[in-house]
Amino acid sequence: MKKLMLLIGVWILSQMGLNAQTSPFQLELEPFTISSLPGLHSYAFTQHNGKWLILGGRTNGLHGFQPPFAFPLASQNTNIYVVDPVLQQSWSVSTASLPQNIQEHIASSNMEGVRIGNYYYFIGGYGFSTPANELITFPNVTAIDVPALINAVVNQLPVTSYFRQITDPNLALCGSRAEVIDSTVFLVFGHQFDGRYNPHNMPSFTQVYSNQIRKFNISDNGTVFTINNYTSITDTVNFHRRDYNLAPQIFPNGASGITAFSGVFQYAIDRPYLNTIDITSSGYTVNNNFEQLLSQYHSALIPFYDSTAATMHTLFFGGMSQYLYDINNVLIEDTLIPFVKTISLVSRNSNQQIEIRVPYEMPGYLGSNMEFYRADGIDAYDNGIIKLTEIDTGKVLVGYLHGGIEADYPYVFMNGGGNSWASDKIFKVYITKNTNTGLMVPASGINSFSYFPNPVKDELTINFELASKLHINCSLYDTTGKLVSLFENSMMPAGKNRLIIKTYKLPAGVYTMSFNAGGAFKNVPVVITK
């Protein structure tokens, strides 16, 4: 079998202005397929004793953009799949024997779900409802007995008794993500979408973003389950997001929580958010001093934590991105948000948070709505973060990547051309730890920095000196944390540099300018007058 080698060894390119002295691990992807498992994406999944359980999702590629072709019913996944990646075997049963309400719910896509004990709770999702005679966001939670269902599918036994369902309109969301923190379920962001998709906002659908983090507990005695202690946090400025990545994290202070990475769409323009939001049991923090440029839609990801270096790493595979590197290895913006082959790493410790591109690529336009399964036996925290410190030396299988949308062209939407399909590819993911698994730090970064005048009316001058060639990103945020303008996004040479920022078109007010030089930040106030 031909292996795709993606080495993250000396991956700190000079074009990125980073030292080559530290690198957490080498990465190797080995592709294979399971002939009996079709291509799938946007599905629900969990695992038990080395086997995967897959429900719902879609068997076609990127959705169509007109009502007759958007989310065709024939492309809903109406089978339940169990996969054994070691034996490279899968089993399936049809959902046809299930009651209609359960059958239609678990055939939906872009749902949310959490695993608590033996039960997987399948929440929301977008799919066809016979009572509504329409595509809707389901206001349901379906509880699934995971070990029992896996056994039934493998042995081709009846499955109906392993499903229970309740209705709760508060949980009617899709494009959201869910995680458990301290026994409380956090249902984060997302939207309620009912009707047939139409990009021109014709009256074929309704769409309401939640703008919320919804929190609740699930009480389950094995026969009856209920939703208790429901509360919500609303932030109409920062929470207006869907179809993003939510990853468990261990924060620099040692607390556990989750981070929402990027997501779509901003209010005034069809662009993703670039900042991130940290969420704990006690609240949330919007990170306006960091921009994630290389992964804006939901994709496969792997969280690692190095307890020795107190460093969190989150690795993202492919997907769709507003920024990518051209053939000259220069970071460029593409406002069409294409499919990309990029692999990127976001790392942070108590000093800083940085994003680094892996200088090798996915073997195609892969990763969007792909999922990661941790290998059986890999040591992880209760929230699923892999314990990087505990991984053995040498080459270690940490898990698998599966499914997602695959394309033969970056712009497979509207009139962009090309084709997309549900991928049936599976990749074994191996890592080999390097000696230093801590944060990759930028070279000395910004040696000097000044700007004038302030207050400013028409034109702001920024003078700065770089220790080495670095990528510069200069952005302006309003008092709510909303990105107002991206002034500069390019490579700059070592030595003294100057930027001239035009401000005459911006409204008067107080702003924060974020100046990022290869991961070294300057966040300074700017007052614009008229």
Side-chain angles (χ1 to χ4, degrees), residues 460-476:
L460 183 69
T461 298
I462 305 172
N463 292 317
F464 57 98
E465 183 177 356
L466 301 178
S468 62
K469 183 180 180 181
L470 291 174
H471 176 261
I472 299 300
N473 182 284
C474 183
S475 305
L476 199 69

Side-chain angles (χ1 to χ4, degrees), residues 450-467:
S450 64
Y451 63 108
F452 67 90
N454 191 28
V456 59
K457 183 178 180 182
D458 298 321
E459 189 174 275
L460 183 69
T461 298
I462 305 172
N463 292 317
F464 57 98
E465 183 177 356
L466 301 178

Side-chain angles (χ1 to χ4, degrees), residues 318-319 339-343 360-366:
F339 288 105
V340 296
K341 302 177 182 179
T342 311
I343 302 174
Y360 300 91
E361 298 181 326
M362 296 289 282
Y365 295 109
L366 285 161

